[in-house]
Amino acid sequence: FKIVRIPPHSINQFTFKFKRWESVGKIAGGNWDRDTQSVNKLDKFQAVRNHFINDVSWEDTGVIDHLYDRLKSDSQKEIDGCRSREEIQARYDHLDNIYEDMKNNGYKEQNHDQFDYIAAHIGRDGNFLFAGSGFHRLAMAQILELDKIPVWIRARHKDWQQKREEVYQTNGPHQFCTHPDVRDLVKK
């Protein structure tokens, strides 16, 4: 779909409805946008918050053990690009550098390809739902209270898509004309 820039705190729910790549470009009805969980309850979010806010080591957050246990027990050959406990530890150590860079320079988009973006779906009411890519960067951006971050829209609820089409056909005025996923549809 497209990249929009939104405040990181506007993504506070996570949906498990779609597998990672099955959602790209999807428009789907149903209640998938209501069956959500707070991003703050996700293990990775908790680990990032504990590490950067409470100064807990990555090891002591439990995230290294959690991911390594998944790696050993799942049929996956890798998790987050890691194939061993050492690689998981190195990945998390590298997150410290990313955090410091974000803290000092903001969210840098120029190093991204489309697969590196934080991913979100849009629910029926225009709410952003975390889509499972960019856990660490989203949590860091929230902790740092960055103004806006680029987010890759992967799926939209059918009802939201209808609202977008209304805005496009009528060219506003509409209550959603300022929504980041609709703004570009209004002709100036």
Side-chain angles (χ1 to χ4, degrees):
F1 276 144
K2 68 180 180 181
I3 307 298
V4 297
R5 280 144 194 83
I6 62 173
H9 284 287
S10 63
I11 301 176
N12 53 35
Q13 294 291 309
F14 178 66
T15 180
F16 296 94
K17 170 62 178 166
F18 307 110
K19 292 183 177 133
R20 189 172 193 173
W21 301 114
E22 114 180 77
S23 65
V24 177
K26 191 170 205 78
I27 297 171
N31 287 322
W32 60 267
D33 62 329
R34 302 273 197 237
D35 185 20
T36 62
Q37 176 181 332
S38 170
V39 294
N40 293 318
K41 292 183 179 179
L42 298 170
D43 292 336
K44 287 183 183 178
F45 267 73
Q46 290 177 359
V48 171
R49 289 184 183 284
N50 278 329
H51 182 72
F52 292 115
I53 294 173
N54 301 324
D55 202 30
V56 175
S57 72
W58 287 120
E59 188 71 37
D60 289 341
T61 67
V63 71
I64 306 294
D65 288 335
H66 172 73
L67 292 176
Y68 184 61
D69 290 345
R70 275 188 51 208
L71 187 64
K72 289 189 311 187
S73 66
D74 284 357
S75 60
Q76 297 174 318
K77 291 183 169 84
E78 64 179 45
I79 292 178
D80 287 344
C82 302
R83 296 172 184 240
S84 68
R85 182 179 184 78
E86 293 76 24
E87 288 181 7
I88 294 169
Q89 182 67 53
R91 173 169 164 62
Y92 275 80
D93 289 342
H94 179 65
L95 292 177
D96 291 335
N97 297 333
I98 294 172
Y99 181 83
E100 283 304 313
D101 188 50
M102 283 176 97
K103 184 177 177 181
N104 296 325
N105 303 305
Y107 195 103
K108 291 201 276 187
E109 188 176 354
Q110 62 268 26
N111 299 329
H112 282 5
D113 66 24
Q114 71 183 28
F115 304 111
D116 289 332
Y117 284 94
I118 295 165
H121 304 312
I122 301 181
R124 72 188 74 204
D125 300 319
N127 51 321
F128 291 96
L129 303 167
F130 184 60
S133 292
F135 280 97
H136 308 101
R137 285 171 282 139
L138 177 58
M140 289 181 220
Q142 289 180 351
I143 291 166
L144 293 168
E145 298 181 350
L146 299 181
D147 290 333
K148 291 195 177 182
I149 55 171
V151 174
W152 181 26
I153 303 304
R154 285 201 186 153
R156 293 183 180 104
H157 193 280
K158 182 177 147 188
D159 294 350
W160 175 251
Q161 183 62 27
Q162 288 173 340
K163 291 171 187 165
R164 292 180 82 244
E165 289 171 11
E166 274 178 40
V167 170
Y168 179 74
Q169 290 169 0
T170 63
N171 197 33
H174 195 283
Q175 67 185 19
F176 297 110
C177 284
T178 60
H179 189 283
D181 189 43
V182 174
R183 202 175 296 134
D184 63 325
L185 300 176
V186 179
K187 298 173 189 122
K188 296 176 182 175

